[in-house]
Amino acid sequence: MTKKIGRFYKTADFAKLAGVTVRTLHHYDRLGLLKPTGRTAKGHRLYGERDFARLQQIVTLKFIGFPLKQIKNILNRDSFDLATELRSQRDIIVEQRRRLELAVKAIERVEGVLASTDVPDWEVFAEIIEVINMQNDMTWTDKYYSEEAKQKIAERAATVPRDIIEQAQRDWPALLKEVEASLGEDPASENVQALAERWAKLVQGFTGGDAEIQKGLNKMYADKQNWPATFPRPYSDEVQAFMQKALAIRKERVIS
């Protein structure tokens, strides 16, 4: 028989009704996330209809991916912008999906290696791990971008087709190799200006031509000395200085 006192339920019955465990309710109580409406004379928790409504909100936000601390902050506000909160969470999930895709591709590369030999090449394994770690741990770059820029970057990551992103990842190493081979040439030469054109297009592929994203990108590359030791510089200072001259010439020609 359900232990219902007035319009309230004791913990075990409320947990059963709500589809959660008693332990979960106790945990939410300790966190101040879901305090019972009342208690019996002996101190047992009593939950009512308003508690059930709040629990539904908690379960929904938790399913979407919000951490409990953030859920508490959201639900304790008098009002909050749910659309903004959901957009922020969507961006997080999109980033998680990107990381999972990297892991899948790494596994596929390993499978390809194993298919061609019975002896695993552990150097290939190490290289894959290094690439995954490098691409996954990019949160350190957040400090260079404004909130507006970070939002736009996340939106671009979610909307730009994957094949275009992968093509850009292949194009950058090829371009850098050609730029390094051209060091010492006149930055105004036809060859170097063609390289500058390709460079500008690849940068725009990331920024989308957005000035706020470009501003953050410039700040990040101006602070190379403070980059994490585990993150290798994509190109040398010499390459950067060379291309800055070439890009400046290109910009002057476009304006004139």
Side-chain angles (χ1 to χ4, degrees), residues 17 23 66-67 104-106 108 111 113 133 144 146 151 162 175 210 215 224 234 246:
L17 177 68
R23 184 178 180 180
F66 286 102
V104 169
K105 290 183 181 298
E108 290 174 346
E111 289 175 335
V113 171
N133 287 338
Y144 300 109
S146 66
Q151 179 65 43
R162 174 56 54 182
L175 174 59
D210 185 89
K215 181 180 177 181
K224 291 196 300 296

Side-chain angles (χ1 to χ4, degrees), residues 97-212:
R97 180 179 66 185
R98 184 188 71 82
R99 295 185 180 191
L100 287 173
E101 288 174 351
L102 286 173
V104 169
K105 290 183 181 298
I107 292 172
E108 290 174 346
R109 286 185 60 189
V110 173
E111 289 175 335
V113 171
L114 294 178
S116 60
T117 178
D118 293 331
V119 181
D121 185 344
W122 295 108
E123 290 186 2
V124 174
F125 280 63
E127 177 187 347
I128 291 171
I129 292 172
E130 181 181 356
V131 170
I132 291 176
N133 287 338
M134 181 181 70
Q135 296 192 51
N136 280 355
D137 188 18
M138 292 297 289
T139 56
W140 62 272
T141 65
D142 288 351
K143 62 183 178 182
Y144 300 109
Y145 296 95
S146 66
E147 290 302 319
E148 177 187 353
K150 285 187 283 189
Q151 179 65 43
K152 290 178 178 178
I153 291 171
E155 289 173 357
R156 286 187 58 73
T159 57
V160 176
R162 174 56 54 182
D163 59 334
I164 293 179
I165 295 175
E166 292 177 349
Q167 183 61 53
Q169 291 173 340
R170 291 190 293 269
D171 289 345
W172 268 115
L175 174 59
L176 289 173
K177 187 175 181 180
E178 291 183 52
V179 171
E180 288 173 352
S182 301
L183 290 175
E185 290 187 24
D186 182 356
S189 69
E190 183 178 348
N191 174 53
V192 177
Q193 282 300 299
L195 296 176
E197 177 73 17
R198 288 164 58 190
W199 186 290
K201 286 183 178 179
L202 283 172
V203 171
Q204 187 172 28
F206 172 70
T207 66
D210 185 89
E212 193 68 16

Side-chain angles (χ1 to χ4, degrees), residues 45-110:
R45 297 173 177 84
L46 292 175
Y47 294 91
E49 294 177 359
R50 292 182 62 183
D51 299 320
F52 186 72
R54 184 175 174 94
L55 180 59
Q56 284 184 313
Q57 293 174 320
I58 294 169
V59 171
T60 300
L61 292 172
K62 189 171 182 291
F63 175 79
I64 293 173
F66 286 102
L68 293 180
K69 184 177 181 180
Q70 190 172 358
I71 292 173
K72 180 181 177 180
N73 292 336
I74 290 172
L75 297 183
N76 286 349
R77 297 177 192 170
D78 293 332
S79 63
F80 67 95
D81 187 347
L82 181 59
T84 299
E85 298 288 353
L86 289 175
R87 186 164 56 248
S88 174
Q89 193 59 33
R90 181 199 63 192
D91 295 340
I92 292 173
I93 293 172
V94 167
E95 176 62 16
Q96 291 173 338
R97 180 179 66 185
R98 184 188 71 82
R99 295 185 180 191
L100 287 173
E101 288 174 351
L102 286 173
V104 169
K105 290 183 181 298
I107 292 172
E108 290 174 346
R109 286 185 60 189
V110 173

Side-chain angles (χ1 to χ4, degrees), residues 207-227:
T207 66
D210 185 89
E212 193 68 16
I213 298 177
Q214 184 66 59
K215 181 180 177 181
L217 189 64
N218 293 343
K219 287 173 63 178
M220 185 179 79
Y221 275 89
D223 192 42
K224 291 196 300 296
Q225 68 273 14
N226 292 317
W227 286 6

Side-chain angles (χ1 to χ4, degrees), residues 2-13:
T2 300
K3 298 180 182 64
K4 184 176 180 182
I5 301 177
R7 300 184 66 182
F8 298 100
Y9 296 86
K10 287 189 174 181
T11 304
D13 296 294

